[in-house]
Amino acid sequence: MAISKLVSGVKEACKGVEDGMTLMLGGFGLCGIPENCIEELVRLGVKDVTCISNNAGVDNFGLGRLLQGHQIRKMISSYVGENDEFERQMLSGELEVDLIPQGSLAERCRAGGAGIPAFYTPAGFGTEVAEGKEVREFDGKPHILESALTSEFAFVKAWRGDEAGNLVYKATARNFNPMMAMAGKITIAEVEELVPLGTIDPNEIHTPGIFVQRIFQGDSYEKRIEQRTVRPHKN
Amino acid sequence: MAISKLVSGVKEACKGVEDGMTLMLGGFGLCGIPENCIEELVRLGVKDVTCISNNAGVDNFGLGRLLQGHQIRKMISSYVGENDEFERQMLSGELEVDLIPQGSLAERCRAGGAGIPAFYTPAGFGTEVAEGKEVREFDGKPHILESALTSEFAFVKAWRGDEAGNLVYKATARNFNPMMAMAGKITIAEVEELVPLGTIDPNEIHTPGIFVQRIFQGDSYEKRIEQRTVRPHKN
Amino acid sequence: MLDKNGIATRIAQEVEDGQYVNLGIGIPTLVANHIPEGLNVEFQSENGILGMGPFPFEGSEDADLINAGKQTITALPGAVYFDSATSFAMIRGRHVQLTVLGAMEVSETGDIANWKIPGKMVKGMGGAMDLVASADNIVVAMMHTNRAGESKLLPQCSLPLTGVACVKRVVTNLAVLDIKDGAFHLVERAPGVSVEDIRAATAGELIVPDSVPEMQL
Amino acid sequence: MLDKNGIATRIAQEVEDGQYVNLGIGIPTLVANHIPEGLNVEFQSENGILGMGPFPFEGSEDADLINAGKQTITALPGAVYFDSATSFAMIRGRHVQLTVLGAMEVSETGDIANWKIPGKMVKGMGGAMDLVASADNIVVAMMHTNRAGESKLLPQCSLPLTGVACVKRVVTNLAVLDIKDGAFHLVERAPGVSVEDIRAATAGELIVPDSVPEMQL
């Protein structure tokens, strides 16, 4: 009875992505990013895309791969500090950048997926972020009106998934993935492990399959660590 | 290191609830309602309270118990159709009733917990619900502005919980409980089973303990079924 | 003329492969029993389940597993539970593609009234206002006339509205009708029901094409 | 004069038993190492964890478990993972009670700038704008002057703002200062630092009480 979202692999999953489209990509830093789809977008060579993603990867991994090929026209992000090529393209004017507060970014994606066209938040009042936006006081405190974000495609990465599109994320690799899954007109989920239908306890699913249009198991995951910090073993 | 929310039982949990307060109560019909706390509110005899709850229980169970004692001054609900005493009190004017769309109720509680003072929704446009509310078009479609709901106390019921206040709900007993947990200034969680800290996989927690101020294991749960529907066994 | 199960059978034909469907209380609930074999459809119940299955076998009822009508149900493989905010995110965000619900009145402009009779019956709108304000595809399942024999398909609703200009199609015991351009357009007749029967039972403007096929059930 | 760990040690004294605390990148991260034994405190990292523990032992790093500074971390018993929307619901909804973050500039009216140097450095605000707009209790951890020796405690911020009238307390290498009534109020001196040193390094209006105790570290 379940509606199957299973596709054969990354190539079938990314069918229909075209130049100039708006794409959402889950992940925080390099944690929980859709590695296989990003590589396929590099291979496809789509140009002039707008990417909505909390970060922009590093120079040679994550969204940095798309920046290298000058495939991105505009980034909508909250923090882009780990990427020299990004900074170069932005300061030179090649790359359009819309920086927005992280909480507003998350909530705007959720709103887009939830049919809430706009909401008020205190974040950014009195800053550049508020420019051109409606300000209204609630309970004596000024708030700004933020609008929903949606995208033609959303790329998310989960730990486990089933053919119904149900997803479970691992630890902090969850981050923006659930909201972006909601906000994509076509949401493509790549998973580390595809499990048989009925394997995942329906109580423990993070993203219900209704939000996912295509799912596949990624061929391989590098899962690069950006800041490896450790403490010494006690001897 | 975890901050303990554990209290000795329902009496300690309900300390501070006073006449005239606004209370949120989780549950859908009789499913997932805070049975032990409701009985304690009956015992305490608090009066003139405003109850925010999707439903109003049945005549002799759930919130119907508070209605019997005329303890409720106002109900904020989406559906109250299973309760004769409710209808009698409402039609006679004893009970003030604010009926709001179920999705708006859920989202208004979430907004209250999430620091979003107001949001736009299409639900209720052109109906009584929209009276006195701002209307604005987004994408050519009219929406109404709905405000956040919060409460002095929120009572939620979970399946499992730990002393940090982390909660896991079972099946459709989840319903309004997570959003009300977020929206209560003091949130009281009663659980069927209190488990040791670290027992619940941090990936599988529905309500993070930060939203819960007091937790206890309920003495007993009747878990009454409102509409027992079955199919015959194949012989 | 159809009975309630007949209406449900006809509405089941509206359901397409791959759709997520929300069924309201009453006749709409029966639609689930008439979905053709092999059609992949998932039922959402707004209290927090997707992948709703049939009623449980006697003795396996679970008080924690109910539908929006508070009936005990089961979950199919691939089902998922979620909270009410997420449930209405699915509905408001148009992820649920088809909504079937009952009505007391429907107007020729697609307004619907189904939640309140002032001074008499005040049960509340539940999720209906969110559902009708959101879904692209809203089908009303109801009897063509009320118990007093009065038409429920009206020029204007007399009862408090649930939603404005939202109903696309109405399936009754007498007919299938589309709503567009401010009128009811007769699409199909129920078996044994004449166009004149339908005209007599419809108070709103009724557009009748040259030929009106009988429903194939 | 304090070093970075000294500032973190002093800020740790601001943390109260039973608080949920968000620590920003840089000096604030160090605060976690200086919380007194026996104090029950949980650290939230806005990328999606509550109950953050120390760095992992070498060899047990998990790429899927990081903090907002993208550092590998561990989770303590009772920890919980969540998505970014829920994370900022905790922050915006004032469930996180204390926020410690760095700054490039702070004004005497409590404005803060820490995310952008026009034409030079544009890293983005990350979660800082949400944090400073929301928390009841915002403590800034920073050096009193920048690398050029210029004061970072100003009458007005010159850089693009992160938030307006939100900072309550500043802890620097030289002093603890409260912000109220449009001025910096000197609360404590760092060991070996004189009121005159602090006055010389503070460009905004500084109110000095009759007696200014030295920090107890």
Side-chain angles (χ1 to χ4, degrees), chain B residues 80 141 172 223 228-229 231, chain C residues 55 64 72 94 123 133:
Chain B
V80 293
K141 194 175 161 178
T172 57
K223 296 175 72 166
R228 187 177 303 271
T229 46
R231 60 186 152 144
Chain C
F55 295 145
D64 290 323
T72 45
R94 295 165 178 258
K123 292 189 182 301

Side-chain angles (χ1 to χ4, degrees), chain C residues 55-78:
Chain C
F55 295 145
F57 289 117
E58 207 170 331
S60 7
E61 311 93 283
D62 181 348
D64 290 323
L65 185 47
I66 63 170
N67 65 16
K70 283 107 178 175
Q71 298 171 312
T72 45
I73 53 162
T74 55
L76 298 173

Side-chain angles (χ1 to χ4, degrees), chain B residues 28-29 31 55 78-82 87 90 99-104 106-107 121-123 125-129 141 170-176 178-179 223 225-233, chain C residues 46-49 54-58 61-66 68-72 81-85 88 92 94 115-116 119-127 129-130 133 160-164:
Chain B
F28 186 99
C31 181
N55 313 91
S78 90
Y79 190 81
V80 293
E82 333 283 4
E87 204 151 5
M90 176 171 56
L99 290 168
I100 54 185
Q102 196 172 133
S104 298
E107 192 68 15
T121 174
F125 169 75
T127 76
E128 284 183 11
V129 164
K141 194 175 161 178
K170 192 181 144 208
T172 57
R174 195 181 319 181
N175 55 64
F176 281 84
M179 286 77 65
K223 296 175 72 166
I225 292 176
E226 221 165 321
Q227 304 282 344
R228 187 177 303 271
T229 46
V230 295
R231 60 186 152 144
H233 284 278
Chain C
E46 65 267 27
N47 60 313
I49 178 174
F55 295 145
F57 289 117
E58 207 170 331
E61 311 93 283
D62 181 348
D64 290 323
L65 185 47
I66 63 170
K70 283 107 178 175
Q71 298 171 312
T72 45
Y81 307 126
F82 38 84
D83 64 46
S84 303
F88 284 91
R92 221 188 291 100
R94 295 165 178 258
W115 73 284
K116 184 176 182 180
K120 266 195 199 161
M121 195 250 0
V122 193
K123 292 189 182 301
M125 66 292 282
M129 283 193 185
D130 308 272
L161 295 184
T162 308
V164 175

